[in-house]
Amino acid sequence: MKVDVILGLQWGDEGKGKIVDVLAPAYDIIARFQGGPNAGHTIEFNGQKHVLHTIPSGIFRHNTQNVIGNGVIIDPYIFQKEIDKLLESNINPYENLLISRKAHLILPTHRLLDACNEKAKGANKIGSTLKGIGPTYTDKTSRNGLRIGDFELEGFEIKYNNLKLLHQSTIEKMGIDVSEILLDGLDFDAYEKRWLESLQLMKRFSFINSEYFINEQLLKGKRILAEGAQGSLLDIDFGSYPFVTSSNTISAGVCTGLGIPPNKVGRVLGVFKAYCTRVGSGPFPTELHDSEGNLLREKGREFGSTTGRPRRCGWLDIPALKYTLMLNGVTDLIMMKADVLEKFETLKVCTSYKIQNDTYTELPFDMNCELTPQYEDVAGWNSSLGDVQSFQDFPEELSEFNKFIEKHIQMQIGAVSIGPDRTQTIFNENFKANFRL
Ligand code: GDP
Ligand code: IMO
Ligand code: MG
């Protein structure tokens, strides 16, 4: 058996959580492999909306085991809040959630450092989610980090205090006053107290050597789906650096984030919106600053699942999509939020960029350069997709829109999402056969 992967092909928030939940019944295990509580994955069913940050999106399916892999970073306080919310909704996460001992811990001081780094950057700030992501991955690579497994060993308190002191001295040297900074509305001491209590509560879960677990389950013939967070254009290596997150969000990240060899990666499911959004700073060639952008935001309810910030909205960007299809080796393609475009008479799709007087279909090294997107018009369907049950029911213009994209990317769209609910997902026959739907 191999590990299939679902990941975002744009700047995050493509709708990965929804698709993982929809496909979860076809899998035995859902595993997160990177990122942390910067992620916000929304799942809607039975009129209820759930947002997950650290916990894999298979948690709502009773027969699915969920794994937080070694590549993920965990804030116990945020994790505990997620657990409490699940319990309120009568979901028992204690039964089917396992945590890698090698997953790194986000300390309260990592969050302070994140805030300080952003302050220090001023107008050039990344627009981070302020969850401590950058500083935690920095400590991981600089070999200072603390892992979940350390908590089971003697001397954790000493290690925690040493790292906290190191962070505090860094903050002091930065000369930034952190006394006013609130973490989830709490001052530092109150937050740290709850963080430590939440860490104790994590003992109710099984900490595992997840690389052994995943490989053993593969040998036993179990079906595993890896759930990506963020999007390929936020990848630390290939995203619009430095306006990126601090992990490898592309399919290659599955190997290091779960401990599987490259020949054990199976199907790669790429999720993209029928338009583009981005939250935080950084280049966004097709961004709209007009009423059409506002319409996308309102109709698409484009407000961050983690921070509530309004998402920047713009037209679909084919050069960017082709880039991320290439990086990920996508085998199956899912287009999200087609319903959001139903109010447009005419749609625009960016098919190339103009830089000075030359036309490019590849992303330049410096995405912040003077770059003018070149658009082609495509007729909108200007009608509701409410009654659509199959690809055959699509309005002709939507089928043409799909064909237009497919012609440019040389790949078929296998599924189209037409609303936030679990049930509002339309598959073609190939896709159904591949995923036993
Ligand atoms: P993720 O981070 O990739 O899991 O995506 P988010 O959950 O952050 O953002 C996607 C948003 O779009 C959520 O509010 C979903 O409920 C919503 N959504 C997902 N698919 C569709 C769709 O096809 N149509 C509409 N209108 N909303 C959708
Ligand atoms: P999901 O999994 C959208 C963005 C932040 C910021 C940049 C760096 O829900 O798709 P970080 O906190 O990681 O240091 O922020 O990345 N970002 C996301 N944008 N969706 C996400 O996750 C994101 N996670 C981080 O807004 O611009
Ligand atoms: Mg999200």
Side-chain angles (χ1 to χ4, degrees):
M1 294 304 284
K2 297 198 175 189
V3 175
D4 293 345
V5 192
I6 285 195
L7 41 78
L9 297 173
Q10 294 157 324
W11 283 281
D13 302 328
E14 295 89 351
K16 301 173 290 294
K18 166 180 164 162
I19 296 301
V20 171
D21 169 72
V22 167
L23 296 183
Y27 290 90
D28 300 299
I29 297 170
I30 309 290
R32 276 278 303 269
F33 60 95
Q34 47 69 232
N38 47 350
H41 295 177
T42 314
I43 290 134
E44 285 194 35
F45 56 91
N46 299 339
Q48 273 201 313
K49 178 171 159 171
H50 306 267
V51 182
L52 298 170
H53 302 288
T54 321
I55 296 171
S57 300
I59 201 75
F60 301 103
R61 306 287 193 172
H62 293 299
N63 296 324
T64 310
Q65 188 67 258
N66 293 272
V67 176
I68 299 178
N70 60 279
V72 176
I73 57 177
I74 305 176
D75 182 324
Y77 172 83
I78 298 177
F79 176 79
Q80 186 55 41
K81 284 215 318 201
E82 277 183 81
I83 297 295
D84 291 343
K85 279 224 170 104
L86 288 172
L87 292 171
E88 271 169 34
S89 309
N90 289 323
I91 309 289
N92 181 0
Y94 296 108
E95 284 168 2
N96 58 344
L97 178 60
L98 304 168
I99 303 171
S100 171
R101 290 197 170 90
K102 290 194 170 76
H104 277 244
L105 280 167
I106 304 174
L107 271 54
T109 40
H110 280 130
R111 291 194 64 176
L112 282 186
L113 274 171
D114 202 0
C116 291
N117 288 340
E118 287 287 76
K119 258 193 179 170
K121 283 187 194 291
N124 296 323
K125 71 175 183 181
I126 308 297
S128 116
T129 57
L130 299 177
K131 303 295 177 197
I133 305 300
T136 305
Y137 277 118
T138 302
D139 270 347
K140 175 176 175 173
T141 45
S142 64
R143 297 159 295 182
N144 289 319
L146 278 180
R147 299 181 289 178
I148 288 286
D150 290 318
F151 180 51
E152 294 176 305
L153 304 177
E154 297 266 307
F156 177 79
E157 211 181 306
I158 297 172
K159 285 185 195 158
Y160 173 84
N161 283 323
N162 285 345
L163 190 53
K164 178 178 155 185
L165 280 175
L166 182 70
H167 293 159
Q168 284 172 332
S169 81
T170 309
I171 290 167
E172 233 168 75
K173 279 183 211 139
M174 291 175 90
I176 293 175
D177 177 15
V178 291
S179 62
E180 304 283 297
I181 295 178
L182 295 179
L183 303 174
D184 281 25
L186 301 170
D187 68 31
F188 181 81
D189 290 341
Y191 187 83
E192 187 187 40
K193 184 168 173 284
R194 297 207 190 164
W195 187 93
L196 290 166
E197 285 164 3
S198 304
L199 185 61
Q200 290 295 338
L201 289 174
M202 285 187 76
K203 281 187 180 154
R204 295 185 62 176
F205 290 90
S206 297
F207 300 158
I208 58 163
N209 298 329
S210 55
E211 63 279 31
Y212 279 113
F213 177 79
I214 296 279
N215 283 290
E216 277 160 16
Q217 298 302 310
L218 282 177
L219 283 178
K220 283 184 190 161
K222 299 285 182 194
R223 289 170 60 86
I224 303 179
L225 178 65
E227 173 178 4
Q230 290 76 58
S232 303
L233 296 168
L234 290 172
D235 182 271
I236 183 73
D237 281 280
F238 300 104
S240 42
Y241 194 87
F243 301 101
V244 293
T245 191
S246 298
S247 63
N248 279 119
T249 59
I250 59 170
S251 53
V254 177
C255 294
T256 51
L258 290 180
I260 55 154
N263 65 352
K264 293 284 184 212
V265 176
R267 304 200 77 85
V268 179
L269 295 95
V271 184
F272 74 102
K273 278 178 192 170
Y275 50 97
C276 283
T277 64
R278 174 164 202 169
V279 61
S281 328
F284 181 178
T286 62
E287 181 171 13
L288 292 165
H289 298 279
D290 55 10
S291 57
E292 287 186 320
N294 290 338
L295 186 56
L296 286 174
R297 188 172 308 104
E298 272 151 41
K299 181 88 176 90
R301 292 191 286 165
E302 296 294 358
F303 296 89
S305 318
T306 297
T307 56
R309 291 178 291 179
R311 295 178 185 144
R312 301 154 65 192
C313 298
W315 296 119
L316 184 65
D317 183 332
I318 297 276
L321 186 58
K322 281 173 82 167
Y323 182 60
T324 56
L325 288 170
M326 172 186 83
L327 293 172
N328 288 300
V330 171
T331 58
D332 301 271
L333 199 52
I334 304 161
M335 184 172 84
M336 308 299 290
K337 303 191 101 162
D339 56 304
V340 174
L341 298 182
E342 68 190 23
K343 289 270 190 285
F344 290 88
E345 295 267 351
T346 306
L347 306 169
K348 287 189 187 299
V349 178
C350 164
T351 50
S352 63
Y353 305 139
K354 199 157 223 178
I355 303 172
Q356 292 172 343
N357 278 327
D358 295 318
T359 302
Y360 296 87
T361 52
E362 292 186 359
L363 269 58
F365 169 73
D366 179 14
M367 287 285 286
N368 270 320
C369 66
E370 282 281 315
L371 180 159
T372 317
Q374 305 297 298
Y375 292 106
E376 290 185 42
D377 284 353
V378 185
W381 40 99
N382 209 7
S383 61
S384 163
L385 300 178
D387 294 330
V388 168
Q389 304 280 341
S390 71
F391 268 50
Q392 287 70 39
D393 297 339
F394 285 156
E396 205 185 314
E397 293 85 352
L398 173 53
S399 301
E400 287 302 317
F401 180 68
N402 286 358
K403 276 192 209 149
F404 179 90
I405 299 169
E406 290 170 349
K407 182 187 84 191
H408 280 278
I409 60 176
Q410 289 294 298
M411 196 180 167
Q412 276 216 327
I413 297 170
V416 176
S417 174
I418 56 165
D421 193 85
R422 224 183 225 177
T423 55
Q424 294 172 299
T425 324
I426 314 296
F427 306 100
N428 72 11
E429 295 308 316
N430 264 346
F431 195 98
K432 279 191 203 162
N434 283 338
F435 297 97
R436 302 198 216 147
L437 296 166

